[in-house]
Amino acid sequence: MKSIIALEDVSKRFGPFTALESISLDVAEGEFVSIVGTSGCGKSTLLRLVAGLMPTSGGSIRIADREVTGPTDDVGIAFQTPVLLPWRNVRQNIELPLEVRKLDVGRHQAELTRMIDLVGLRGFEDRHPYQLSGGMQQRVALCRALIHDPSLVLMDEPFGALDAMTREQMNLEIQRIWMETKKTIVLITHSIIEAVFLADRIVVMQSRPGRIASVIDVKLPRPRSFTDIATPEFQDACNQVRLLMNATGFTE
Amino acid sequence: MKSAYYPLGTFVVFVLGWYAISILFEVPAYLLPRPEAVIERLGQDFGYLMRHAWVTTYETLGGFLLSVLIGVPLAFIIVSSSIVEKAIMPWLVLSQTFPKVALAPLIVVWFGLGIVPKILVTFLVAFFPVVISTVVGLRSMENEMLELARSMKASRFQIFWRFRLPLALPSLFSGLKVSVAFSVVGAVIAEWVGATEGLGYLLLTANANLDTALLFAVLAILTVLGIVLYYAVEMFEQRLIPWHASVRLKEVPAL
């Protein structure tokens, strides 16, 4: 498989503080990778480096064989908070990246409608963010990250603030979108279950300085469902991650 | 329109209290005229009062618009360059501790008795809230919002017009509301220093003649002027930022 992201000995320092140290990782095209780790292990920083939102202090990051020096066109990002523009309705919020990138909004209408259907927002196109629940807002943010059809999607704990029920629903939707579109997805999360449920591979990080402790393959069949959680295979994978996190100083 | 009943109720209570005090304590009319005397005066001299009210309105609006036209772009410059900010901001803050009213006589010496010095004094009194609230508004963009904009490869220009400026509007409007109220004060002060017409001028003459009925009539008109201008700004606000919580959730008690 061709790798779409290639990190080589990447480090990031903020003054005297080392946030990330010697990070090397390849993500294959179409792969779903979850990154887990305790708060402050630098996983969000890592995502921002890959997104080109901040410069590295050392090493190299390549996306589709091109060195990352700033934000890349072929990348969509979903943040921890939905960061929707409150004066725009759902449709206009999703269209925002097209307008900013000066793409033809009219030509994307069919795609937009399809996405709105895909995440279950039909009938809410004309609502404003304050009229939506947290889960719906995050869905809008997801559509916004996908509307220009990027081949790589970066997600920074987009479901961290959602209740458990909504979160499971969103995980199912992400899985469906991923299986339908064959995009490469990197998801940051602090939920072990979420990581195992969605990922082909899980990157476990340790903190101070932020480093990759281990990478685990998840070989559960797709599509996965939440009724699979009780199966021994799923539990095994979860325990593996949990043991690793405990070994790196994470206490439950 | 039902919401208008409440302030009107307060007003009726206020007038009744006023009436009761003037009768119960037999306050002489030159100290506290009775409400009906003031109303009578308002009716009698209506044309005369309106002519002066128009002058003051003109000065108030002139000073307010100048505050917006200079204050908002000034805020743009301040947030766009840290050098300009460092050079200007301390002086702006200092200018607020400085009694601007004390400058009014000087401005009259420089610009005479016409409309220009009135507008300038009003501007001096009213522009600061516009600058500060716009600066605060333009700075209140969350880091993730900025990252979102940058991830879309938004230019500096796009970040400003599509993100920062709309996000600054709620704060900007709260500054405009303070500013428009200050503008009325500014115009009256400007007229006190040297004028031949306007409500501030009328206040001085009424005072000199112990004509308290006229004084109260002028105060009533000034109040109406202030309220009308304030709500005009608020109407603009509701048109422009219906999405903001301060507009949407007005009916919800805050404490």
Side-chain angles (χ1 to χ4, degrees), chain B residues 170-189:
Chain B
S171 174
L172 197 158
F173 266 103
S174 61
L176 290 186
K177 287 196 253 181
V178 175
S179 170
V180 82
F182 278 17
S183 293
V184 181
V185 179
V188 169
I189 290 171

Side-chain angles (χ1 to χ4, degrees), chain A residues 64-177:
Chain A
D65 286 329
R66 266 215 300 263
E67 191 75 29
V68 172
T69 50
T72 318
D73 272 326
D74 208 15
V75 175
I77 307 180
F79 294 92
Q80 279 181 26
T81 55
V83 283
L84 303 176
L85 300 182
W87 55 92
R88 287 176 160 243
N89 65 24
V90 168
R91 183 175 280 275
Q92 292 163 336
N93 262 294
I94 300 173
E95 283 170 353
L96 181 70
L98 303 177
E99 290 173 25
V100 171
R101 290 169 195 272
K102 300 200 166 66
L103 300 171
D104 188 349
V105 177
R107 258 188 34 210
H108 284 77
Q109 285 307 309
E111 175 63 12
L112 199 148
T113 308
R114 207 183 63 81
M115 299 246 318
I116 284 176
D117 278 347
L118 188 66
V119 300
L121 281 171
R122 181 187 286 205
F124 291 91
E125 294 93 334
D126 298 325
R127 300 281 185 96
H128 279 76
Y130 62 84
Q131 296 166 311
L132 303 176
S133 67
M136 284 176 145
Q137 292 188 14
Q138 226 17 304
R139 275 175 232 196
V140 178
L142 203 60
C143 289
R144 185 185 55 196
L146 297 171
I147 188 66
H148 65 294
D149 197 24
S151 48
L152 173 60
V153 183
L154 305 173
M155 301 186 183
D156 184 11
E157 285 190 51
F159 316 127
L162 303 182
D163 62 275
M165 297 282 281
T166 316
R167 192 167 187 159
E168 285 191 2
Q169 212 182 341
M170 294 296 291
N171 285 345
L172 286 166
E173 264 156 31
I174 290 287
Q175 176 176 247
R176 197 173 69 217
I177 290 169

